[in-house]
Structure formats: C-alpha cells, structure tokens
Amino acid sequence: NYTKEDWDQANDGLMAVFAELAMCKNNGESADSAEAQELVAKLQAHITDNYYTCTDEILSGLGKMYVGDERFKNNIDKYGEGTADFVAEAISVFCQDN
C-alpha cells in the first residue's frame, strides 16, 4: 500500500546508506571495521523496515548481487568506484560474524 512518495522515501533512504558506506570506505575504514559493520546492520534494518524481512541469508545474497549485476554495481558505484565491492565485502563479514 505504498504511495509513490513512500517508495521514493524508502529508496532515498536505501541510497543514503550506500552513500554512508562510501564515506566509510573513503575515510580509510576497512570492510570489517566497527563503522562499516554498523552501517551494514543499518542497511539490513532499512530493508526489513521498508521492503521485506532481510535475513542474514538474504543479505548475503544481496551483497553478491550488488557486485554480480552490473546494474546494481553501477548504481552503488555512483558514490565512488569500488563502493559496491566494499559493500559486498562488508556484508560478507557481517553475515559470517552473525
């Protein structure tokens, strides 16, 4: 029952988390840093709150898709080349640790 505005807000929020992850990467943090891992948790919560229940298994699959599908990779990398790879690595660490 989302309106166009609801979808726009949800999507903008998702992209804002990717922008935060890009800043984390650009600040020299590693994918396994506390900051990166907190942002992955934020990403998972945002997906669960706005789209569907995002289990660790689903999140792991999303991480692989973010680098395996050029459409997703290019969209995420608009925040800086290598952002999608950083996000995928951070997600992988997060899911291994949970």
Side-chain angles (χ1 to χ4, degrees), residues 21-90:
L21 281 155
M23 283 194 308
C24 180
K25 177 184 89 57
N26 293 338
N27 288 336
E29 296 291 334
S30 63
D32 64 348
S33 69
E35 182 180 352
Q37 293 303 294
E38 287 172 17
L39 289 169
V40 171
K42 182 177 180 178
L43 174 68
Q44 186 178 39
H46 181 82
I47 293 168
T48 295
D49 292 346
N50 291 280
Y51 302 104
Y52 49 83
T53 301
C54 185
T55 63
D56 288 349
E57 182 179 3
I58 290 170
L59 184 63
S60 177
L62 288 172
K64 293 172 186 167
M65 184 178 65
Y66 292 157
V67 292
D69 184 317
E70 287 298 315
R71 296 168 296 176
F72 285 96
K73 184 173 178 51
N74 292 337
N75 196 36
I76 296 168
D77 276 354
K78 73 181 181 183
Y79 296 106
E81 188 172 335
T83 300
D85 290 321
F86 180 81
V87 171
E89 185 179 348

Side-chain angles (χ1 to χ4, degrees), residues 4-22:
K4 181 184 179 332
E5 292 78 23
D6 292 334
W7 281 113
D8 289 344
Q9 184 176 8
N11 293 333
D12 289 348
L14 180 67
M15 297 313 292
V17 177
F18 289 133
E20 288 181 87
L21 281 155

